[in-house]
Amino acid sequence: MSASIYSNSQFTDSPYGLKLQQTIIASSSSVVIPTGINRVYAVVIGGGGAGSTQTTGGGGGGGAGGYSAGWTYISNSVTIGAGGTGTSTAAAGANGSPSIYGMVFAGGGSGGINGTNGGAGGGATTPTGTTSTVSYTGAPAAGQNVVGYASGGGTSSTAGVSSGGGGGQSGVTGNQTGGAGGRGLIAGGGGAVGTAGLGTGGNGGTGDFYAGGTGSSGTGTSFGGGGGGAGFSGAGSDGSGKNGGNGGDGGGGGGGASTLGTAGSGGRGEVRLYY
Amino acid sequence: MQGDTATPFANTHFILPYGLQLRQTINAGTTSVTIPAGITFVYAIAVGGGGAGTNITGGGGAGGVAWGWTIATSSCVVGAGGTTGSGGYTRYGSIIAGGGGGANGAGILGSGGGGYYGSGAAGATNYWGIPGGAGGGSFVTGANGAGGGGGGGSNTTSGTAGSGGNGISGGGGGTVYFGTGASTAGNGGNGLVGGGGGSASTASGSAGGSGGNGINILTGAVFSGGTRVGFSGGGGAGIAGAGAAATSFSAGGAGGLGGGGGGDGTSSHGAGGAGILYLFY
């Protein structure tokens, strides 16, 4: 028996049983969809936000890239959002960039804040700061430290589908521990610490498919970088010395850096096509 | 069940989810799931844990409900019911529902707001963008919404508190915390998941509020909210179980399984019902 969604009135928009046919990790204007396929189910993930670094103390982790899924008309072009690039300049981390296929789109994650707070997870569009954005399904934005589809960034590990980055610590003496990135389908990066005492960077958030990176630990300001958050397609990297770990492929948030170390970059976005 | 090798062009099973079977029911505290090989997408219904009542403060809001298709994963989070405040969230893949607000606590991700002895707390917009209801002012019922708003009460005068707003997830009932004159607490809001009832002062003639009703989504049957006893409120019904009656004149009832809000009491309160996760494929 054969059936077609175009002649079957009982067809509903279920993706059940669909097969993953393409995973796209770079922008292109030459996506090839087989003849006869007029619409596809797309999973679209934005780039993760970069962590931040600070002159003294530790910066916040970057938020995870947004996650959107749904049916769309076919297109031969696709935009894949890059992760925000981590730097050693004391400033907010760079936001991740959005990804788009057809009419399904997802924002990047916010970079870590210029200070200690982690950045928010991305929704359908890209947030800047600790408050996230509305999701592709319409789930509301979440404020600082609030659970959401795209969760808020801030000081604690805040969970969501796309979670926020963990907060760093401003203290420069004594033992300090950075905040972990939130747990999520895609996860934010860990916050950093920069202290003369024992400093332990926050771990990157744990994802559903991959682990977050481990924060760097040691005595002195040469340590304390946060781990990168888990992406949809790859694990986050460990923090190294005072540098943050990179977010995993598929939108993981970058880890924060301490004392003008280099913050972790966000993981690249991607698009998966099912038909 | 089917594998991952089919496309809509050679498959007649796309009338689903009507044809899907409930394959797994997952309770609070579970963190891993086994999905058979070849299943790429799962239809999930997630319910957050219910919010707790708080002594002479207000009934707890019901846990949020979210539903839809998600990529299959082996990981899950199922929220516990609140014991002193808000319930925990529940997430499977990209489907996420918030825990109900505790007394005077706002809902998140579709959950009901908690009742209060002042203005009730707001219910929340849900996963699909359906707006939540505003909390009721003093002696005013919470507004209806995806998450109903909490009912308002008073701690400065006697009277009849507002009930929780109705919705997919009901708001908690308002409490009257004033010792002179008979007062009546607000009932929990009704929905797929019910809010907890409020409590009333111990003056002669005062009465607590009943828990809101819920619905068994697998059968369509109504789960009843718990009844009040004396001054204390009953627990709201969950999506998977009835709410408990208040356990004494002064102790509120617990929310039912699947996110029911806890009832308020004058000396002890009911916990929120645990969240739950249904997986269909």
Side-chain angles (χ1 to χ4, degrees):
Chain A
M1 173 182 285
S2 64
S4 166
I5 60 172
Y6 309 109
S7 61
N8 184 351
S9 62
Q10 291 183 307
F11 177 79
T12 61
D13 278 347
S14 161
Y16 186 69
L18 291 179
K19 183 179 180 181
L20 175 62
Q21 304 280 9
Q22 297 190 48
T23 298
I24 304 170
I25 61 172
S27 296
S28 170
S29 58
S30 57
V31 176
V32 176
I33 304 294
T35 301
I37 304 292
N38 293 336
R39 64 178 192 162
V40 298
Y41 193 85
V43 169
V44 177
I45 297 166
S52 71
T53 189
Q54 297 295 298
T55 303
T56 59
Y67 176 96
S68 302
W71 288 99
T72 177
Y73 60 87
I74 63 169
S75 171
N76 61 9
S77 65
V78 61
T79 300
I80 303 298
T85 301
T87 73
S88 58
T89 301
N95 294 340
S97 296
S99 296
I100 308 170
Y101 181 78
M103 63 184 194
V104 182
F105 53 92
S110 173
I113 309 309
N114 185 14
T116 57
N117 283 328
T125 58
T126 304
T128 297
T130 57
T131 298
S132 70
T133 53
V134 174
S135 78
Y136 188 72
T137 65
Q144 183 171 323
N145 294 329
V146 176
V147 172
Y149 184 110
S151 69
T155 56
S156 60
S157 55
T158 308
V161 174
S162 297
S163 65
Q169 297 285 354
S170 60
V172 295
T173 59
N175 297 339
Q176 306 281 348
T177 301
R183 177 176 176 168
L185 180 59
I186 311 170
V193 298
T195 176
L198 175 63
T200 303
N203 295 333
T206 301
D208 281 3
F209 299 114
Y210 293 94
T214 302
S216 163
S217 183
T219 300
T221 56
S222 295
F223 297 93
F232 192 80
S233 298
S237 300
D238 295 341
S240 176
K242 62 181 179 179
N243 303 320
N246 294 332
D249 288 343
S258 85
T259 325
L260 297 180
T262 301
S265 298
R268 55 141 179 86
E270 67 184 56
V271 167
R272 294 187 174 206
L273 301 181
Y274 296 79
Y275 50 87
Chain B
M1 186 187 302
Q2 66 185 57
D4 67 348
T5 57
T7 77
F9 311 100
N11 191 306
T12 59
H13 292 173
F14 288 84
I15 58 173
L16 304 175
Y18 295 110
L20 290 177
Q21 294 184 23
L22 174 62
R23 300 286 183 174
Q24 298 193 48
T25 299
I26 301 171
N27 293 309
T30 304
T31 58
S32 64
V33 180
T34 300
I35 303 294
I39 300 296
T40 49
F41 288 93
V42 170
Y43 190 86
I45 299 174
V47 184
T54 302
N55 300 351
I56 325 178
T57 304
V65 183
W67 62 92
W69 289 99
T70 175
I71 201 95
T73 86
S74 59
S75 171
C76 66
V77 177
V78 183
T83 55
T84 58
S86 298
Y89 74 96
T90 294
R91 181 178 67 81
Y92 181 76
S94 60
I95 308 298
I96 185 168
N104 194 33
I108 64 168
L109 284 170
S111 65
Y116 193 47
Y117 57 64
S119 296
T125 300
N126 75 355
Y127 175 89
W128 291 110
I130 303 169
S138 182
F139 297 124
V140 176
T141 293
N144 299 338
S154 176
N155 64 347
T156 59
T157 184
S158 58
T160 300
S163 295
N166 301 323
I168 297 171
S169 304
T175 280
V176 182
Y177 179 26
F178 187 69
T180 303
S183 295
T184 302
N187 299 324
N190 303 314
L192 286 178
V193 192
S199 70
S201 58
T202 56
S204 176
S206 291
S210 298
N213 295 331
I215 295 176
N216 181 339
I217 58 168
L218 303 179
T219 66
V222 172
F223 282 125
S224 296
T227 55
R228 71 173 185 86
V229 175
F231 310 116
S232 296
I239 208 166
T247 57
S248 74
F249 265 54
S250 58
L257 177 63
D264 198 17
T266 56
S267 64
S268 64
H269 59 266
I276 202 163
L277 174 64
Y278 294 123
L279 300 181
F280 300 76
Y281 49 88

